């Protein structure tokens, strides 16, 4: 019991650190993607937007401030080893308390409201907030925690369509294209387009969110899916929407797809947009309570 309590404290401290860290200091893969975007953008307004984003990131670092005022909703992705000696119920408590502490101690803007009354529910927590995605790993005793604060501008640009199976890949491409063209400048492009394909309606949406948590530009391990990622990336960057919707060559930094097998008469496709401030911070926690901070996964 003592060990579990200590471990719960470790997870709480880690969550409090990850939430603030993610908001202040964006990962190197994202910095590289934005820098590459500056180089290939030919539109003058588009390039100016990207240069402003680069300066924004530098100022946040110099002043130890947030890269964006929208502290988002705290989303965590947890990979829990089957032998990790803290029950997921306690892990959830720790993530919630860590989120509250980060919000109060920094302090951060609290965005959480009751979905009907719109009254604030506390320090970025509430009923079923934060949101935690779980994956359970056999034959392992560790815990990986990834914090992905999700801004509302990009989250509002989320879409689901139950495509017709007979329309195949063409139908998928058309829906993703329509979604991104419809979103225009609203989700603060250029960002990461997460696409979830297959499973059920709810699972496709889950997969789309999972997709945006990957390091920028990583490819799906299934070559067929990876090819579709590349095709969609090229297609979306031909729309001319450009940085912040002001026109240009760079509309998206990456397209990530996660997929699941599905029913023969289903073809669910979900899109979840992650803005340029694609914040992400992670930690590996061992069964003994050692914490290894990491930006690479
Ligand atoms: S969408 Fe992203 S960059 Fe735009 S305001 Fe929200 S968090 Fe900030």
């Amino acid at each position: 019991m003592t060990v579990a309590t200590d471990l719960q404290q470790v997870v709480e401290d880690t969550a409090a650190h990850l939430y603030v860290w993610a908001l202040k200091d964006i990962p190197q893969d994202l910095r590289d993607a934005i820098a590459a975007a500056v180089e290939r953008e030919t539109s003058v307004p588009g390039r100016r937007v990207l240069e402003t984003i680069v300066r924004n990131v530098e100022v946040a670092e110099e002043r130890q401030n947030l890269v964006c005022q929208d502290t988002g909703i705290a989303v965590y992705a947890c990979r829990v080893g089957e032998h990790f000696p803290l029950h997921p119920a306690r892990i959830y408590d720790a993530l919630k308390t860590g989120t509250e502490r980060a919000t109060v101690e920094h302090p951060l803007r609290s965005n959480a409201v009751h979905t009907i009354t719109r009254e604030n529910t506390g320090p970025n927590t509430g009923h079923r907030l934060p949101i935690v995605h779980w994956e359970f790993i056999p034959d392992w005793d560790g815990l990986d925690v990834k914090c992905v604060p999700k801004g509302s501008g990009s989250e509002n640009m989320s879409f689901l369509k139950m495509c017709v199976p007979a329309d195949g890949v063409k139908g998928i491409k058309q829906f993703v294209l329509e979604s991104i063209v419809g979103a225009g400048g609203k989700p603060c492009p250029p960002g990461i387009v997460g696409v979830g394909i297959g499973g059920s309606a709810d699972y496709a949406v889950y997969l789309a969110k999972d997709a945006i948590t990957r390091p920028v530009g990583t490819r799906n391990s299934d070559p067929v899916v990876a090819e579709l990622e590349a095709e969609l990336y090229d297609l979306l960057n031909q729309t001319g929407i450009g940085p912040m919707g002001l026109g240009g060559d760079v509309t998206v930094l990456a397209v990530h797809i996660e997929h699941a097998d599905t029913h023969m008469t289903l073809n669910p496709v979900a899109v979840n947009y992650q803005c340029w401030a694609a914040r992400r911070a992670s930690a590996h926690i061992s069964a003994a309570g050692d914490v290894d901070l990491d930006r690479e996964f």
Side-chain angles (χ1 to χ4, degrees):
M1 177 58 76
T2 307
V3 171
T5 305
D6 288 348
L7 206 46
Q8 185 165 341
Q9 189 63 52
V10 169
V11 177
E12 178 187 314
D13 292 345
T14 303
H17 178 78
L18 290 180
Y19 190 22
V20 175
W21 186 30
L23 291 170
K24 284 183 168 178
D25 176 18
I26 62 170
Q28 190 59 47
D29 52 79
L30 178 57
R31 290 169 189 255
D32 293 345
I34 295 169
V38 176
E39 291 307 311
R40 71 173 190 275
E41 181 56 69
T42 57
S43 119
V44 173
R47 201 176 169 112
R48 198 167 293 149
V49 166
L50 291 168
E51 286 167 349
T52 305
I53 288 173
V54 170
R55 183 72 191 122
N56 181 146
V57 173
E58 289 168 356
V59 170
E61 193 166 306
E62 287 161 17
R63 300 189 188 174
Q64 280 294 291
N65 214 331
L66 312 183
V67 294
C68 181
Q69 40 70 40
D70 186 357
T71 51
I73 48 173
V75 178
Y76 295 93
C78 286
R79 299 174 72 246
V80 190
E82 70 167 320
H83 302 303
F84 187 69
L86 187 67
H87 192 276
R90 300 277 78 80
I91 295 173
Y92 186 84
D93 282 349
L95 296 177
K96 190 165 192 165
T97 311
T99 305
E100 288 172 348
R101 273 185 40 211
T103 304
V104 172
E105 290 168 10
H106 188 273
L108 302 172
R109 188 179 87 182
S110 179
N111 308 305
V113 297
H114 185 286
T115 198
I116 304 296
T117 67
R118 313 307 290 180
E119 284 175 14
N120 189 273
T121 55
N124 280 317
T125 55
H127 181 55
R128 295 179 172 155
L129 275 183
I131 294 164
V132 182
H133 292 197
W134 301 99
E135 189 184 352
F136 298 98
I137 312 296
D139 302 322
W140 188 47
D141 65 356
L143 168 68
D144 289 342
V145 182
K146 187 187 303 189
C147 179
V148 184
K150 193 63 172 64
S152 64
S154 56
E155 189 67 9
N156 273 323
M157 296 299 103
S158 304
F159 308 95
L160 169 70
K161 182 173 182 183
M162 304 307 283
C163 291
V164 177
D167 289 346
V169 173
K170 186 164 168 263
I172 294 169
K173 283 188 193 169
Q174 186 170 341
F175 174 61
V176 175
L177 181 63
E178 285 169 3
S179 299
I180 297 308
V181 169
K186 290 183 201 149
C188 296
I192 303 168
V193 176
V195 182
I197 306 173
S200 54
D202 59 319
Y203 203 65
V205 173
Y206 165 84
L207 290 171
K209 173 57 58 62
D210 201 34
I212 59 115
T213 70
R214 282 168 28 197
V216 185
T218 47
R219 285 274 170 259
N220 191 292
S221 57
D222 183 326
V224 174
V225 180
E227 190 181 327
L228 184 56
E229 289 178 331
E231 286 177 26
L232 281 170
Y233 173 80
D234 289 340
L235 190 63
L236 298 181
N237 278 317
Q238 288 169 29
T239 58
I241 294 168
M244 291 293 166
L246 295 179
D249 309 304
V250 185
T251 297
V252 302
L253 297 176
V255 176
H256 297 167
I257 300 174
E258 291 295 329
H259 70 294
D261 295 339
T262 189
H263 189 286
M264 60 185 169
T265 62
L266 282 176
N267 190 15
V269 184
V271 173
N272 189 250
Y273 203 106
Q274 178 64 305
C275 56
W276 72 262
R279 298 159 294 185
R280 188 182 94 240
S282 312
H284 309 280
I285 302 176
S286 75
D290 298 318
V291 180
D292 181 16
L293 300 174
D294 185 357
R295 303 306 287 272
E296 305 305 319
F297 82 101

